[in-house]
């Protein structure tokens, strides 16, 4: 049995909804809060606003057991919680690189005036280094209980599509704390997870671990995509290059898949926010390489468009383009900064008739880009196509039968934006197969 702390989770987006359901699953009583009443109503009915394998089941089971509840009231949350996890987003500011931390400030402003007894507030959001120290001072200033209210920073490393697994079996836990009491509370909270490597440190280091981790992952992807550019110029094959590199244990094969590059709500905005913060601290030179990481990533999208244009004779005007994939990666309905949709929109704006299919992200894509064409099946998307573009490597696409698909298109042209298909099989079926970084 876990220590019977009562937990709140403030913000029920991707991170918050997952954290709340997983903590309840561990046996804690959990109260989730969001300012969006519509979202709270749906969650109370057991409906997830996002697609995340395994999470809805967890939500429903813990709602039924009574361990998990939701509210929109900060007063209720303050009265209920011994430990308050703050899980709100820190999006990129409009027209700037910096992160917008106003949702975090709003949580502290709303919660603190009700905190009249000892408790721990735990930030999980990805933030510019220095944010925790500022929020800790604010908490103590605004809370009636003063210094009995402490802040800890506990960054989250979950991946969309694996959110439950990453929360219940994390590869490490990082705690930024300023007291032994805060450390003990968090050790107790995470004890039911078992023996997970734990790094206990100060606020700035804990905040930086997250920025550094995402910067490293983005750099690894852009490194292999830079190699793809050189491969394109020298008729080499980046997929084989990547495979050969992966056998070196110091390099490893993960996050070394060349293709259309990274998107989503995290890596792109996090590397930009990291550069912006380093600039404010006078350390901008240290991170100028991330500008290149970002640029390499964006160039892959342009290269994808060029490859497709080349296959249809140099112009998209009058051409039908079948797009497979809208989500920023498979097993997710998230279309934030999706490379797939970016490519689809560019081609549509260049005169192509684009039809998009995605197994789960179609509704989100439709809402965000109503001018694109959509279909409810692969066949619908590629019907009469002059070229097919595979932009998100859903398993459904990887398993496609090239012969069958060939019956639906006008011309057997395909660009594999994720290096997910077997080139030989597709060429043997009469397809003009092209891929990023390969001859
Ligand atoms: C990322 C990190 O992987 C998580 O550790 C982190 O917690 C999370 O951001 C966050 O900050 O919250 P996520 O955005 O869910 O997780 O997605 P990833 O699995 O990292 O994929 C990011 C993008 O990189 C996708 O567009 C994917 O297609 C692309 N990618 C990934 C590649 O192009 N090549 C690869 O080899 C791997």
């Amino acid at each position: 049995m876990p220590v019977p702390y009562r937990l709140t989770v403030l913000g029920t987006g991707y991170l918050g909804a997952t954290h709340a359901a997983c903590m309840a699953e561990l046996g804690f009583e959990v109260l989730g809060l969001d300012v969006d009443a519509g979202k709270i109503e749906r969650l109370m009915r057991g409906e997830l606003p996002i697609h995340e394998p395994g999470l809805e089941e967890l939500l429903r089971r813990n709602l039924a057991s009574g361990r998990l509840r939701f509210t929109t009231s900060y007063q209720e949350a303050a009265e209920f919680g011994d430990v308050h996890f703050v899980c709100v987003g820190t999006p990129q500011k409009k027209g700037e690189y910096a992160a917008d931390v106003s949702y975090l400030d709003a949580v502290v402003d709303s919660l603190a005036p009700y905190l009249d007894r000892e408790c721990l507030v735990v930030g999980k959001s990805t933030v510019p280094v220095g944010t925790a120290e500022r929020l800790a001072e604010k908490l103590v200033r605004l809370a009636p209980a003063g210094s009995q209210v402490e802040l800890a920073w506990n960054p989250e490393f979950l991946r969309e599509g694996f959110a439950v697994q990453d929360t219940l079996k994390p590869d490490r836990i990082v705690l930024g704390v300023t007291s032994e009491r805060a450390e003990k509370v968090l050790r107790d909270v995470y004890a039911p997870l078992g023996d997970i490597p734990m790094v206990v440190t100060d606020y700035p280091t804990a905040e930086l671990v997250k920025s550094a981790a995402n910067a490293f992952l983005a750099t690894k992807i852009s490194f292999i995509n830079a190699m793809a550019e050189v491969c394109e110029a020298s008729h080499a094959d980046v997929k084989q290059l990547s495979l050969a590199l992966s056998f070196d244990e110091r390099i490893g094969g993960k996050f070394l898949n060349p293709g259309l590059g990274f998107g989503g709500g995290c890596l792109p905005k996090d590397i930009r926010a990291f550069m912006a913060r380093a600039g404010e601290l006078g350390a901008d030179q240290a991170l100028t390489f991330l500008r290149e990481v970002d640029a390499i990533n964006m160039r892959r999208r342009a290269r994808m468009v060029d490859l497709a244009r080349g296959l249809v004779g140099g112009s998209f005007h009058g051409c039908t383009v079948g797009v497979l994939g809208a989500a920023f990666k498979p097993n997710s309905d998230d279309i934030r900064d999706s490379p797939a949709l970016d490519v689809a929109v560019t081609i549509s704006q260049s005169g192509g008739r684009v039809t998009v299919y995605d197994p789960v992200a179609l509704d989100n894509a439709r809402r965000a880009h109503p001018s694109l064409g959509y279909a409810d099946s692969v066949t619908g998307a590629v019907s009469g196509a002059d070229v097919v573009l595979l932009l998100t490597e859903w398993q459904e696409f990887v398993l496609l039968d090239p012969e069958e698909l060939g019956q639906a298109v006008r011309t057997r042209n395909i660009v594999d934006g994720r290096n997910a298909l077997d080139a030989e099989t597709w060429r043997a079926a009469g397809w003009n197969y092209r891929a990023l970084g390969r001859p």
Side-chain angles (χ1 to χ4, degrees):
M1 264 303 286
V3 179
Y5 293 122
R6 298 205 297 184
L7 315 183
T8 77
V9 175
L10 311 172
T12 58
Y14 227 105
L15 169 57
T18 307
H19 197 65
C22 287
M23 291 297 114
E25 182 71 9
L26 292 179
F28 292 103
E29 268 192 74
V30 181
L31 181 64
L33 174 144
D34 205 288
V35 290
D36 179 341
K39 199 188 258 181
I40 289 298
E41 269 169 36
R42 287 187 67 183
L43 285 166
M44 287 197 296
R45 285 199 302 269
E47 285 171 29
L48 262 190
I50 47 166
H51 172 88
E52 182 60 42
L55 186 55
E56 198 158 78
E57 201 185 313
L58 227 64
L59 171 73
R60 292 188 176 175
R61 185 158 66 229
N62 287 287
L63 280 171
S65 75
R67 277 198 301 273
L68 178 58
R69 294 187 299 113
F70 291 95
T71 185
T72 54
S73 160
Y74 272 103
Q75 186 172 359
E76 190 185 345
E79 282 163 10
F80 178 88
D82 304 304
V83 184
H84 303 279
F85 286 99
V86 186
C87 295
V88 291
T90 51
Q92 190 176 338
K93 280 187 188 163
K94 277 218 158 45
E96 285 181 51
Y97 268 19
D100 174 2
V101 295
S102 61
Y103 296 114
L104 274 171
D105 278 280
V107 168
V108 171
D109 291 337
S110 309
L111 179 73
Y114 297 112
L115 297 177
D116 55 8
R117 65 182 166 92
E118 188 175 305
C119 65
L120 185 65
V121 177
V122 185
K124 292 193 77 66
S125 315
T126 303
V127 289
V129 59
T131 304
E133 194 177 336
R134 184 176 66 74
L135 293 179
E137 283 164 15
K138 192 180 200 179
L139 259 179
V140 171
R141 187 162 30 88
L142 297 183
S147 59
Q148 282 187 291
V149 177
E150 272 187 75
L151 183 80
W153 213 262
N154 167 220
E156 182 58 54
F157 302 100
L158 64 80
R159 298 160 297 169
E160 295 186 13
F162 299 90
V164 173
Q165 178 190 326
D166 287 351
T167 305
L168 294 177
K169 289 191 194 333
D171 44 22
R172 81 289 214 186
I173 293 172
V174 176
L175 305 180
V177 289
T178 52
S179 77
E180 281 176 15
R181 186 184 78 92
E183 178 183 341
K184 179 178 180 317
V185 169
L186 283 170
R187 281 189 184 275
D188 288 344
V189 166
Y190 288 125
L193 296 179
D195 196 14
I196 309 291
M198 205 174 265
V199 179
V200 181
T201 180
D202 49 31
Y203 288 158
T205 309
E207 291 167 308
L208 274 178
V209 171
K210 177 58 189 274
S211 304
N214 276 3
F216 191 88
L217 293 172
T219 303
K220 207 170 174 195
I221 298 169
S222 276
F223 176 84
I224 199 64
N225 283 334
M227 295 305 109
E229 286 190 25
V230 181
C231 284
E232 278 154 15
S234 55
H235 309 288
D237 185 329
V238 74
K239 204 170 171 184
Q240 286 176 4
L241 177 86
S242 164
L243 176 69
L245 289 180
S246 75
F247 291 116
D248 185 330
E249 281 180 10
R250 295 168 303 173
I251 298 175
K254 289 182 183 156
F255 271 64
L256 213 57
N257 299 325
L260 198 48
F262 58 83
C266 301
L267 298 191
K269 69 114 175 140
D270 286 352
I271 60 168
R272 293 171 194 154
F274 198 17
M275 282 186 270
R277 185 60 183 143
E280 287 168 7
L281 295 168
D284 38 345
Q285 258 197 329
L287 297 186
T288 45
F289 75 96
L290 287 178
R291 204 173 278 278
E292 207 48 53
V293 166
D294 200 2
I296 293 164
N297 192 52
M298 298 311 281
R299 281 206 297 273
R300 288 290 79 190
R301 302 179 187 187
R303 170 72 181 160
M304 183 75 205
V305 173
D306 286 346
L307 267 181
R309 192 188 284 112
L311 280 180
V312 297
S315 163
F316 289 115
H317 283 284
C319 282
T320 302
V321 181
V323 165
L324 302 183
F328 84 105
K329 68 172 186 180
N331 303 315
S332 168
D333 66 348
D334 196 341
I335 55 152
R336 284 176 295 171
D337 199 350
S338 165
L341 285 174
D342 201 3
V343 166
V345 166
T346 304
I347 293 177
S348 163
Q349 286 169 348
S350 312
R353 266 192 314 275
V354 176
T355 308
V356 180
Y357 167 71
D358 187 286
V360 304
L362 266 192
D363 288 345
N364 286 343
R366 267 199 191 100
R367 268 194 297 275
H369 301 286
S371 64
L372 294 174
Y374 294 95
D376 293 326
S377 66
V378 171
T379 318
V382 306
S383 172
D386 298 293
V387 62
V388 175
L389 310 182
L390 191 156
L391 303 183
T392 313
E393 68 278 33
W394 285 96
Q395 192 63 8
E396 177 181 349
F397 303 155
V398 177
L399 297 175
L400 282 171
D401 175 358
E403 188 45 52
E404 217 176 291
L405 201 74
Q407 309 292 330
V409 299
R410 178 153 61 197
T411 316
R412 294 189 179 197
N413 283 324
I414 187 161
V415 189
D416 180 357
R418 293 293 179 180
N419 283 303
L421 304 175
D422 181 55
E424 293 319 310
T425 312
W426 283 74
R427 286 184 179 136
W431 285 79
N432 187 6
Y433 171 93
R434 298 297 306 274
L436 291 170
R438 301 173 73 192

